Amino acid sequence: MPTYNERENLPVLIAQLAALGIANLNVLVVDDNSPDGTGAVADRLAAESSGTVSVLHRKEKDGLGRAYVAGMTRALADGSGIVIQMDADLSHPVLAIPTMLDRIQTSGAALVIGSRYVSGGSTAAEWPWHRKALSAWANFYVGVVLGLKVKDATAGFKAWTASALNEIDVQAVRSDGYSFQVEMNYRAARRGLAIAEIPIHFEERVEGASKMNLREQLESALTPWKLRFQK
């Protein structure tokens, strides 16, 4: 999980993950030198975890995509068989993880997405109508431009097999921000990997602030076209 100024949320999330009781579940926190001290909080949690929590400190904040690439690369190097990516702001429901793992282990899927837009999924009730409309439009837009048969192409809550991440060459992914999710899905689809979606309820963060900015919005709009026309 990538973190930037998540010192209030991180201990809560680590506790929720530990409470799942899943064997061999390890947590890798990728912190981008958070000015609020999230990195120090992560180090403390790692020290208290008996080896189930580890921290990758990066020197600067250079984008969500780069943080994910760094974390996934480390997870693969450490021998992970399944890599789950999720936000640290408590917006992704921890209780969905057992279902994601079961689906990826029993259905032959290379990627399982926690989806807001399949039957049974939903977005935060606190979202104003224009934010809900923008999110739904973004997914429709991506689907039309790239032909992706994915309902929630911008979702950041996913479970990958290690072999899938190696096959799509995660280190070569160049997109940043939320368009990183789109490029990852597109690479998987282009290689014919099986993609499944399970419904989740997406919660609004309680502590901290969203990291979405105008630059990321523009990149997210341009990325599908770049992917479509690149070789």
Side-chain angles (χ1 to χ4, degrees), residues 50-216:
S50 302
T52 58
V53 177
S54 56
V55 188
L56 175 59
H57 293 280
R58 303 202 316 144
K59 293 183 179 180
E60 60 183 1
K61 186 178 187 294
D62 65 348
L64 182 65
R66 306 280 60 75
Y68 268 128
V69 168
M72 290 175 172
T73 300
R74 169 68 69 84
L76 292 173
D78 288 345
S80 298
I82 297 173
V83 178
I84 299 169
Q85 60 173 100
M86 67 186 305
D87 292 343
D89 62 4
L90 305 178
S91 61
H92 294 149
V94 167
L95 292 178
I97 289 177
T99 303
M100 297 172 79
L101 291 175
D102 179 71
R103 182 67 62 87
I104 209 167
Q105 291 169 329
T106 61
S107 71
L111 163 62
V112 175
I113 300 172
S115 175
R116 298 162 292 182
Y117 298 117
V118 294
S119 178
S122 58
T123 56
E126 298 89 342
W127 277 16
W129 71 267
H130 55 83
R131 186 174 177 185
K132 292 182 178 181
L134 179 61
S135 177
W137 167 252
N139 279 282
F140 173 76
Y141 172 79
V142 167
V144 169
V145 175
L146 294 179
L148 281 178
K149 306 301 181 184
V150 174
K151 297 290 187 181
D152 199 346
T154 61
F157 189 25
K158 303 176 184 176
W160 297 84
T161 62
S163 59
L165 290 175
N166 284 318
E167 187 168 347
I168 69 173
D169 190 9
V170 65
Q171 294 189 56
V173 177
R174 303 315 317 159
S175 297
D176 197 12
Y178 294 86
S179 61
F180 172 83
Q181 314 297 355
V182 174
E183 181 172 350
M184 292 283 283
N185 292 336
Y186 185 63
R187 283 173 174 258
R190 285 288 299 270
R191 285 160 179 77
L193 301 179
I195 302 174
E197 295 182 80
I198 67 163
I200 66 163
H201 174 69
F202 183 89
E203 294 283 1
E204 182 60 280
R205 66 163 53 243
V206 176
E207 302 288 346
S210 172
K211 315 304 188 298
M212 187 68 162
N213 56 40
L214 179 59
R215 184 185 69 81
E216 290 188 359

